Amino acid sequence: MTLSDFDVLGEEITDEETEEIVRKGDPRRSLVRYQPSGSELFVSIRLNLPLLRAAVSLPVLLLKPSSRDDEVLKPNNPALEAAGGWDLLAPEGSRRNWGLLERICQDLTRSSVPACYLAEQHGANRRDFYFVTEDVAGLERIARAAAEALSFPLAIERRRLADVAPTILPAEAIGELGLEISNDARLRATRFEFWGAETSLAKLRAELERRGYRYLELNRSVMELRMINAVPIDGPSFPAVLKEIAPLARSLGCSYRGTETIEGSDQFALNRTLPDRYATDTSRGAFGWFLGKKRR
């Protein structure tokens, strides 16, 4: 497939009068990535696998517009700021950045330049955008013209999807797309979220801590446990991580949110059978896989 087969932005379109969906939008996934400094990077990815497959062999451009100082929220935590903590854009700064994104997408559509929006990342005073394109010069021309019209200084970096996959893709998609990521990116601090009752989540936390996972927080408003661990995210290795955490959570009455998977949370619902690709080797019993792993 070529990029002309896809909508540039991939948003849902509805009829304003009838409110009928004219075109379904692509699913979006929110991810959290951790920088070497410990700061967080918030990522929103357009999870369209045919588009991502087309992007594997094409250039990916990272557009980095610079916002004004008054559009950045300063952290109120002195310790965080002293440690080099992150700053996020204020609402008005985010709105202006999104206006730039919409302008670029509209201009790409009008000019028929073959390019599609893939993802955005927010953190460290910035909100940056990833595009895949078959015409690097055409995308750069349109992006710079839009940025100039909206008074944005703009830097552009050329990448490959394999280079940016550890940041913008759910880990499971790396294997699905057959991407070869660099050796230094294969082990990544990754956040895992689980839903359940508080007592069940407490048991799950204890079991995961025994396996080297670190507790981040328990969000009681949605009863979501958040844990973090450095895990391999390359295609051959990450399925083993999922085969550990998904059945373990299920055995304790919790469900993995599926953030780092392609299909997401529904497949892990407690009222559904756990998909075979995430199940343990039942020939050794419910916990045979875990115990065998710990003895090795």
Side-chain angles (χ1 to χ4, degrees):
M1 301 180 76
T2 64
L3 296 182
S4 60
D5 296 322
F6 302 95
D7 178 70
V8 173
L9 188 55
E11 286 194 327
E12 180 176 283
I13 295 179
T14 58
D15 186 298
E16 293 184 0
E17 294 183 359
T18 65
E19 297 186 353
E20 181 180 348
I21 296 176
V22 177
R23 185 186 68 218
K24 289 187 65 176
D26 290 335
R28 306 293 167 113
R29 181 69 54 79
S30 296
L31 305 167
V32 178
R33 299 294 179 240
Y34 294 92
Q35 305 303 292
S37 65
S39 62
E40 294 175 323
L41 190 67
F42 300 93
V43 176
S44 175
I45 172 70
R46 175 183 178 182
L47 199 51
N48 180 322
L49 278 180
L51 172 60
L52 291 172
R53 289 191 181 97
V56 169
S57 60
L58 294 172
V60 172
L61 297 190
L62 174 58
L63 310 185
K64 304 174 69 174
S66 295
S67 297
R68 299 188 292 257
D69 287 343
D70 62 358
E71 295 176 329
V72 177
L73 288 173
K74 297 298 182 182
N76 294 322
N77 186 330
L80 181 63
E81 191 166 13
W86 48 264
D87 296 340
L88 296 177
L89 293 183
E92 56 270 24
S94 287
R95 283 192 290 270
R96 209 165 72 88
N97 275 69
W98 284 324
L100 173 62
L101 173 63
E102 291 176 356
R103 169 71 178 267
I104 292 172
C105 290
Q106 290 168 359
D107 291 350
L108 286 171
T109 300
R110 281 194 288 264
S111 65
S112 298
V113 169
C116 287
Y117 163 84
L118 291 180
E120 67 182 64
Q121 62 186 35
H122 186 198
N125 301 339
R126 315 187 55 83
R127 187 182 293 277
D128 302 332
F129 306 107
Y130 291 87
F131 280 81
V132 59
T133 184
E134 297 171 23
D135 180 357
V136 171
L139 173 56
E140 288 189 345
R141 181 182 68 254
I142 285 174
R144 293 192 187 283
E148 183 176 358
L150 297 177
S151 302
F152 273 105
L154 180 68
I156 301 178
E157 298 177 4
R158 181 169 175 171
R159 308 284 184 85
R160 299 178 307 133
L161 186 63
D163 298 331
V164 302
T167 298
I168 69 170
L169 293 184
E172 190 179 50
I174 293 173
E176 178 69 21
L177 297 170
L179 296 174
E180 292 290 335
I181 59 177
S182 63
N183 289 332
D184 59 356
R186 288 180 177 173
L187 194 68
R188 186 191 68 197
T190 302
R191 193 169 92 173
F192 296 90
E193 302 95 356
F194 305 88
W195 284 324
E198 187 164 1
T199 54
S200 298
L201 291 174
K203 293 176 183 177
L204 178 59
R205 171 186 172 180
E207 289 293 337
L208 287 173
E209 286 180 332
R210 291 191 186 98
R211 291 164 171 80
Y213 289 71
R214 181 166 58 86
Y215 172 75
L216 286 177
E217 64 176 327
L218 174 64
N219 185 336
R220 286 185 169 83
S221 65
V222 291
M223 292 314 298
E224 179 180 282
L225 172 68
R226 296 167 183 168
M227 305 289 290
I228 188 172
N229 197 16
V231 299
I233 59 169
D234 57 294
S237 301
F238 192 69
V241 177
L242 297 178
K243 280 192 172 186
E244 178 178 12
I245 64 172
L248 175 60
R250 173 68 63 95
S251 72
L252 296 172
C254 305
S255 62
Y256 170 48
R257 278 201 59 199
T259 310
E260 295 293 343
T261 69
I262 295 169
E263 297 297 330
S265 61
D266 287 350
Q267 61 189 327
F268 299 104
L270 295 180
N271 60 355
R272 298 180 60 174
T273 301
L274 190 67
D276 289 343
R277 64 186 177 277
Y278 304 127
T280 56
D281 182 358
T282 55
S283 65
R284 289 188 285 168
F287 290 94
W289 190 87
F290 305 120
L291 297 176
K293 182 172 187 259
K294 289 177 74 176
R295 285 196 294 267
R296 286 197 294 272

